[in-house]
Amino acid sequence: MTDFISQLNKYADLAVRVGVNVQKGQTLVVNASIQSAEFVRLIVEKAYDAGAKLVKVNWSDEIVTRLQYERADDEVFATPPKWFAGEMIELVENGAAVLHVIAENPDLLKGIKQERIAMNQKTRGQAMAPYRAYQQADKFSWSIVAVPSPEWAAKVFPDVPESERVQKLWEAIFHTVRIDQEDPVGAWKQHLATLEEKSNILNAKKYKKLHYIAPGTDLTIELPEGHIWAAGESINEKGHSFVANMPTEEVFTAPLKTGVNGTVRSTKPLSYGGNIIDNFSITFENGRIVGVSAEQGQETLEHLVEMDEGAHYLGEVALVPHQSPISESNILYFNTLFDENASNHLAIGSAYAFCVEGGKDMNQEQLAERGLNTSVTHVDFMIGSGEMDIFGVNADGSEEPVFKNGNWAF
């Protein structure tokens, strides 16, 4: 127990000092489930230790959320939460950092009418559009970390005795975020440097396109002129570093909105809107999604794509080697924060402004002119495996391997 408490403290410290990198005199906003209360209290303590002026916690409760979807009036889901969006926008405009502590039940909304979920996702996305624009231009520091819940642990480890599941998920999370190493902060600095090496190589290559080949996948993704490959560490507009996802194993950029053609097949389930989408394929023509097919969650996937016009296009292309810590653990997390860092992935919806030269200072119209997609949503889905090859296509049409059998070719 003493060792667990020590690791929990290290995890909280890592989230505060490396994840959001709280500065002296700064406000920290924590969005968290009540199931993570013990850990959030540690976060609050560590943030004040780091010099935070104020730590504001926004609590949520999955049972209350489920009851709302079951019993609230339809108009509730059609009404944008302007009050919440307004507060969050004001906070980040005044320099706040935002930390999300997730403890999601992947099946929370199973059986709920998809129309209600889709409407809520859309109206919330519309209300939060200015906030998302700030986020995707690195205007403020933000990060996501996770803690186990009994429901999530049961989904991940159904064959483990019930009394041991949560602890086993804690151990898995600690491993993915390097808490089980002697110097987690030092380990993260080394890891981020390794990711940056890969992004530097890709930025020097300046590929025109990427060509993906795998079982069920034959996809070409054109990249915008002046695209930038980013890695785990970001820099906000005040020059402070932060790590948006903990864990992170990816190097990513934005695709050219109209330059995606072919079909891609998922390789891991996608937990979205309290439901699971699994074994699905998506077909593109000139960037636009023209067909979707899923063995599980077909209706959920269709509602996602129909959320707005931008949800018919991609906003992110990310490279993650098959031989990475999360992938090699052979644990399926049913949680995108972890599963996307075990697999090459793409994202439906909006692109990150910082993935094109000068993008951080562009408005939405200017970003669109550069070929980046805009949407009220951004949803990652996993496509990588040990059977995937990716080729970089140069401006003269010549190709060279980027990934071979799921791993870096250089």
Side-chain angles (χ1 to χ4, degrees):
M1 180 58 72
T2 302
D3 186 51
F4 174 73
I5 293 173
S6 173
Q7 289 182 313
L8 203 62
N9 272 276
K10 287 182 180 179
Y11 189 24
D13 200 51
L14 187 72
V16 168
R17 296 184 181 274
V18 177
V20 284
N21 188 16
V22 170
Q23 301 295 303
K24 187 174 182 179
Q26 188 177 32
T27 294
L28 174 64
V29 181
V30 183
N31 296 319
S33 164
I34 60 172
Q35 297 208 63
S36 61
E38 180 183 0
F39 180 66
V40 170
R41 291 175 190 130
L42 278 177
I43 290 285
V44 173
E45 182 180 337
K46 301 292 185 183
Y48 281 125
D49 287 346
K53 174 177 65 177
L54 170 69
V55 183
K56 175 178 169 50
V57 181
N58 296 321
W59 296 106
S60 62
D61 179 1
E62 289 194 337
I63 294 175
V64 171
T65 299
R66 173 83 192 194
L67 286 169
Q68 178 176 311
Y69 275 103
E70 288 176 340
R71 302 189 182 187
D73 289 342
D74 287 341
E75 69 173 286
V76 169
F77 305 101
T79 304
K82 294 180 180 179
W83 57 273
F84 177 74
E87 181 182 49
M88 291 299 296
I89 292 165
E90 180 181 348
L91 283 163
V92 298
E93 284 180 341
N94 286 303
V98 181
L99 178 64
H100 305 274
V101 182
I102 61 174
E104 297 175 350
N105 172 5
D107 295 315
L108 175 66
L109 301 181
K110 187 175 182 178
I112 296 293
K113 290 181 180 179
Q114 287 298 313
E115 291 79 8
R116 287 192 152 205
I117 299 172
M119 180 58 71
N120 189 58
Q121 296 277 4
K122 183 174 183 177
T123 55
R124 183 179 178 85
Q126 290 170 339
M128 296 293 286
Y131 173 89
R132 182 180 291 279
Y134 287 147
Q135 184 182 51
Q136 295 186 325
D138 280 350
K139 298 298 184 184
F140 65 96
S141 298
W142 61 280
S143 187
I144 307 174
V145 296
V147 301
S149 68
E151 296 81 7
W152 180 24
K155 186 78 172 180
V156 178
F157 299 114
D159 299 326
V160 171
E162 184 176 354
S163 61
E164 301 173 16
R165 289 171 180 165
V166 168
Q167 184 58 37
K168 190 168 181 64
L169 186 51
W170 267 122
E171 292 170 0
I173 291 172
F174 285 155
H175 178 66
T176 65
V177 295
R178 296 170 168 79
I179 292 301
D180 57 358
Q181 298 191 27
E182 185 174 342
D183 178 13
V185 172
W188 265 93
K189 288 181 179 178
Q190 182 178 351
H191 175 56
L192 293 170
T194 300
L195 292 177
E196 187 176 5
E197 288 177 10
K198 296 298 185 185
S199 67
N200 288 340
I201 292 172
L202 289 168
N203 283 324
K205 293 286 187 181
K206 300 185 186 301
Y207 290 124
K208 179 72 173 176
K209 300 177 181 178
L210 295 178
H211 186 195
Y212 292 69
I213 299 291
T217 293
D218 187 349
L219 187 74
T220 301
I221 299 177
E222 188 171 352
L223 303 175
E225 186 177 349
H227 67 274
I228 296 174
W229 288 92
E233 189 172 45
S234 302
I235 305 296
N236 69 18
E237 67 176 357
K238 293 185 178 180
H240 301 139
S241 65
F242 65 97
V243 179
N245 290 350
M246 303 189 83
T248 183
E249 302 289 340
E250 67 181 314
V251 176
F252 64 97
T253 191
L256 181 68
K257 177 179 178 178
T258 57
V260 184
N261 288 279
T263 298
V264 63
R265 183 160 187 85
S266 69
T267 52
K268 292 180 183 291
L270 169 61
S271 176
Y272 171 74
N275 287 272
I276 299 294
I277 309 170
D278 199 9
N279 292 324
F280 59 95
S281 292
I282 303 178
T283 300
F284 299 83
E285 289 182 7
N286 298 321
R288 199 173 196 275
I289 294 174
V290 295
V292 297
S293 174
E295 292 183 13
Q296 180 182 348
Q298 174 82 22
E299 188 179 3
T300 302
L301 181 57
E302 290 173 352
H303 279 296
L304 166 58
V305 173
E306 293 297 330
M307 186 171 296
D308 65 1
E309 180 59 21
H312 289 79
Y313 296 85
L314 293 181
E316 180 185 333
V317 48
L319 301 179
V320 180
H322 187 61
Q323 290 178 338
S324 58
I326 301 175
S327 177
E328 292 178 339
S329 72
N330 291 317
I331 297 173
L332 180 60
Y333 285 89
F334 297 96
N335 183 298
T336 302
L337 176 62
F338 294 87
D339 291 334
E340 73 169 7
N341 285 298
S343 170
N344 289 318
H345 56 275
L346 306 172
I348 290 171
S350 58
Y352 287 98
F354 56 76
C355 285
V356 67
E357 292 175 1
K360 289 185 179 183
D361 299 318
M362 293 181 186
N363 59 34
Q364 294 299 309
E365 291 74 21
Q366 291 170 320
L367 291 169
E369 289 175 2
R370 295 293 298 273
L372 269 63
N373 188 35
T374 300
S375 174
V376 299
T377 193
H378 179 99
V379 179
D380 300 273
F381 63 97
M382 287 61 74
I383 64 168
S385 72
E387 299 178 275
M388 174 167 276
D389 293 335
I390 305 175
F391 298 91
V393 183
N394 296 302
D396 62 3
S398 61
E399 294 188 358
E400 57 190 53
V402 176
F403 266 52
K404 186 67 176 177
N405 297 324
N407 294 299
W408 292 104
F410 50 75

